[in-house]
Amino acid sequence: MASYKPTNIPVYPKLGEKVTEETLYWKNYKTPIQIKEFGAVSNIHFSPVTPYNFAVTAFTRIHLYGLLSQEPVKTFTRFKDTAYCGRFRSDGQLLVAGCEDSVVRLFDVSGKVALRMFKGHTKAVHVTDFTSDRYQILTGSDDYTCCLWDIPNSAQLNTYQEHTDYIRCGVTSQLNRDLFVTGSYDHSLKVFDARVDKSVMTINHGHPVESLLLYPSEGLLVSAGGRYVRVWDLLKGGQPLVSLKNHHKTVTCLALSSNGQRLLSGSLDRHVKVYNTTSYKVVHNFDYPAAILSLALAPEDESIVVGMTNSILSIKHRKPSEEAKETAGHQRRRPSYRVYAHRKSYVPKQDDYLVSKPVRQHLAKYDKQLKKFNVSKALDTALETWIRGRKPEITVAVIRELDRRGTLKNALAGRDEQELSRLLSFLIANLVDARFAPVLITAAEMILDIYQSIIGQSPVVDKQLLHLQSLLERELDYQKDLLEVLGMLDTMFASSLPKIELPCSGISTSNGLPQGQSTASRPQILAA
């Protein structure tokens, strides 16, 4: 006897969703892990060396997390007030951070006590970074100054006071130890060279600058402030290259993918936008539950870490690839017990007959009822609240199967007011859906044929039938309007096409007769 074949549930494309390679790439992340911090997460920075730990600056602490850990592997708490901008050195051995008390602290990642404390600013220090030679530190403060510090001597090398408002972001060059860029709430970006005593380039962003980013080639500079993300060409004297306005609120952070082909921006509007760095078009969008303050990408884009104003740290890890899954499967493979003999490994021979154990078939509830030919119960199961609400395609597939068997009318008949009302509610919600209309129209016609004699006896059913009627009339009006629009468009397209004459050899275009043949040669039709 042949085994029962489960009901085929077709997979419909989601309406309004355009699936691209970018969508598949950025959606290939697991469900985010959320960690509660002690305060708003103001900065996130990944170590450039393995095991790629990342520093999370929140309130008066800096936590170091492993790439796959949900608990901090280390915590720095030697801050008297709010800490800012914890950043790793390029070798991953040292970490520097500013503070609300104007002191800059330098930590050894393997220790807890600050190795150096740099005092010179008079207000909170929001910007810290290492220069490319690893021996100097850049700091920017709310006292409108930025400073360079020498690590071995704990000395202040130079101070620049050209901004007229708080300095809230800065970045150092990884190709030249003397170059760095700062951004301020005075709307300006300033490029400094440590070999001279003043800035070498000034750029006006137009809004208070919240974040800066240099491309790996360092020919392009990205600034974020207000609702704008702007890209500047430094090789052409700070010429504006592109201005992006895709956020609804202030943009607070920037990040670049590992291959440099995607730019990410986070904003107070709770969105992270992903841009293509060739066309600067938005290719993907992430939604978060709260306003975003900080953003970082792990090497090879393995993780996306986002810090929010509600003290939540969100971590999304990339799903393992199919090749990694296959490798893991090969590593975990166990011996096959069907070809295993006690005390020795038995290899099956060519003439051996393998008696396979029948695989138990797991059926859904509606399939179990269909297998028993309980058509009414099968339809009731498919009309359960969670199925008809979240997966209407299952209910439609069961109705189609019942219609194919010729038992749909039996399944619809004999229903009380509550069951009929539930069925009509499903039709009202899905009848005008183009994916389900061919099946549900047949079911609706059968319901009207079966229950036409009881119309007027139930106010609930009558109200739903009137709603269904108005819904169909409205849909018909939409279809007529669409046909009229299509007719207009066809006329416009036809008139816009160039007219092409197709000459026919030997045929006169005047009367359609071959050249040289006169009308006299045509046969005459005489009246009787």
Side-chain angles (χ1 to χ4, degrees), residues 338-363:
R338 294 181 182 177
V339 294
Y340 181 76
H342 186 56
R343 296 180 184 273
K344 64 178 180 179
S345 297
Y346 178 77
V347 180
K349 298 179 182 179
Q350 184 177 0
D351 298 331
D352 287 349
Y353 181 77
L354 176 64
V355 180
S356 59
K357 184 179 180 180
V359 180
R360 185 177 179 182
Q361 192 177 35
H362 296 279
L363 298 176

Side-chain angles (χ1 to χ4, degrees), residues 196-327:
V196 297
D197 295 332
K198 61 180 182 179
S199 61
V200 295
M201 187 186 301
T202 301
I203 302 171
N204 183 19
H205 178 81
H207 295 83
V209 186
E210 299 283 352
S211 183
L212 292 175
L213 178 69
L214 275 173
Y215 274 65
S217 64
E218 301 191 355
L220 298 178
L221 173 68
V222 187
S223 61
R227 295 171 55 191
Y228 294 88
V229 175
R230 290 192 165 102
V231 184
W232 313 90
D233 191 340
L234 296 181
L235 301 180
K236 294 183 178 180
Q239 178 179 336
L241 187 63
V242 66
S243 179
L244 308 172
K245 187 182 178 182
N246 299 99
H247 288 282
H248 301 295
K249 292 184 180 180
T250 301
V251 184
T252 56
C253 49
L254 299 169
L256 199 65
S257 64
S258 56
N259 57 9
Q261 296 180 358
R262 300 294 177 265
L263 175 67
L264 285 77
S265 64
S267 168
L268 296 180
D269 63 5
R270 304 182 302 169
H271 293 289
V272 172
K273 305 284 186 182
V274 183
Y275 306 90
N276 185 321
T277 54
T278 303
S279 61
Y280 288 101
K281 292 183 179 179
V282 177
V283 296
H284 194 67
N285 177 67
F286 292 101
D287 297 331
Y288 286 88
I292 298 168
L293 289 180
S294 52
L295 165 69
L297 278 175
E300 303 301 327
D301 304 339
E302 288 298 320
S303 301
I304 299 177
V305 186
V306 170
M308 292 171 272
T309 54
N310 61 350
S311 308
I312 295 295
L313 181 70
S314 175
I315 306 173
K316 288 184 178 181
H317 296 296
R318 182 171 294 282
K319 296 177 182 177
S321 61
E322 295 297 331
E323 296 179 359
K325 289 182 180 179
E326 292 178 2
T327 305

Side-chain angles (χ1 to χ4, degrees), residues 55-354:
V56 176
T57 308
F59 194 41
T60 59
R61 304 187 181 193
I62 296 180
H63 292 306
L64 299 189
Y65 288 91
L67 196 57
L68 299 176
S69 67
Q70 299 184 26
E71 295 292 334
V73 297
K74 198 172 198 59
T75 302
F76 298 101
T77 59
R78 304 286 181 169
F79 296 95
K80 297 179 181 179
D81 209 330
T82 306
Y84 298 112
C85 199
R87 295 186 66 86
F88 285 100
R89 198 168 69 171
S90 58
D91 58 359
Q93 299 294 323
L94 298 180
L95 182 137
V96 65
C99 185
E100 187 71 28
D101 63 3
S102 75
V103 178
V104 180
R105 292 170 174 83
L106 181 68
F107 297 93
D108 186 348
V109 173
S110 59
K112 286 189 176 182
V113 182
L115 296 178
R116 296 281 191 277
M117 296 178 67
F118 303 95
K119 299 179 180 180
H121 288 291
T122 58
K123 291 186 179 180
V125 179
H126 284 263
V127 181
T128 61
D129 203 358
F130 290 94
T131 58
S132 59
D133 64 355
R134 304 181 183 178
Y135 298 118
Q136 295 178 8
I137 293 174
L138 166 69
T139 60
S141 172
D142 285 354
D143 60 7
Y144 311 165
T145 65
C146 57
C147 300
L148 281 178
W149 307 82
D150 183 63
I151 296 177
N153 300 321
S154 300
Q156 184 173 340
L157 298 177
N158 209 341
T159 301
Y160 301 89
Q161 189 171 0
E162 296 192 20
H163 287 291
T164 58
D165 208 334
Y166 300 154
I167 299 174
R168 290 297 173 89
C169 55
V171 61
T172 58
S173 168
Q174 298 303 309
L175 302 179
N176 188 328
R177 69 172 188 175
D178 296 315
L179 294 180
F180 59 92
V181 187
T182 58
S184 169
Y185 278 8
D186 63 5
H187 302 187
S188 69
L189 317 172
K190 291 188 179 292
V191 182
F192 292 92
D193 189 335
R195 293 165 291 191
V196 297
D197 295 332
K198 61 180 182 179
S199 61
V200 295
M201 187 186 301
T202 301
I203 302 171
N204 183 19
H205 178 81
H207 295 83
V209 186
E210 299 283 352
S211 183
L212 292 175
L213 178 69
L214 275 173
Y215 274 65
S217 64
E218 301 191 355
L220 298 178
L221 173 68
V222 187
S223 61
R227 295 171 55 191
Y228 294 88
V229 175
R230 290 192 165 102
V231 184
W232 313 90
D233 191 340
L234 296 181
L235 301 180
K236 294 183 178 180
Q239 178 179 336
L241 187 63
V242 66
S243 179
L244 308 172
K245 187 182 178 182
N246 299 99
H247 288 282
H248 301 295
K249 292 184 180 180
T250 301
V251 184
T252 56
C253 49
L254 299 169
L256 199 65
S257 64
S258 56
N259 57 9
Q261 296 180 358
R262 300 294 177 265
L263 175 67
L264 285 77
S265 64
S267 168
L268 296 180
D269 63 5
R270 304 182 302 169
H271 293 289
V272 172
K273 305 284 186 182
V274 183
Y275 306 90
N276 185 321
T277 54
T278 303
S279 61
Y280 288 101
K281 292 183 179 179
V282 177
V283 296
H284 194 67
N285 177 67
F286 292 101
D287 297 331
Y288 286 88
I292 298 168
L293 289 180
S294 52
L295 165 69
L297 278 175
E300 303 301 327
D301 304 339
E302 288 298 320
S303 301
I304 299 177
V305 186
V306 170
M308 292 171 272
T309 54
N310 61 350
S311 308
I312 295 295
L313 181 70
S314 175
I315 306 173
K316 288 184 178 181
H317 296 296
R318 182 171 294 282
K319 296 177 182 177
S321 61
E322 295 297 331
E323 296 179 359
K325 289 182 180 179
E326 292 178 2
T327 305
H330 288 307
Q331 293 175 351
R332 298 175 185 176
R333 181 173 293 173
R334 297 177 179 177
S336 177
Y337 293 102
R338 294 181 182 177
V339 294
Y340 181 76
H342 186 56
R343 296 180 184 273
K344 64 178 180 179
S345 297
Y346 178 77
V347 180
K349 298 179 182 179
Q350 184 177 0
D351 298 331
D352 287 349
Y353 181 77
L354 176 64

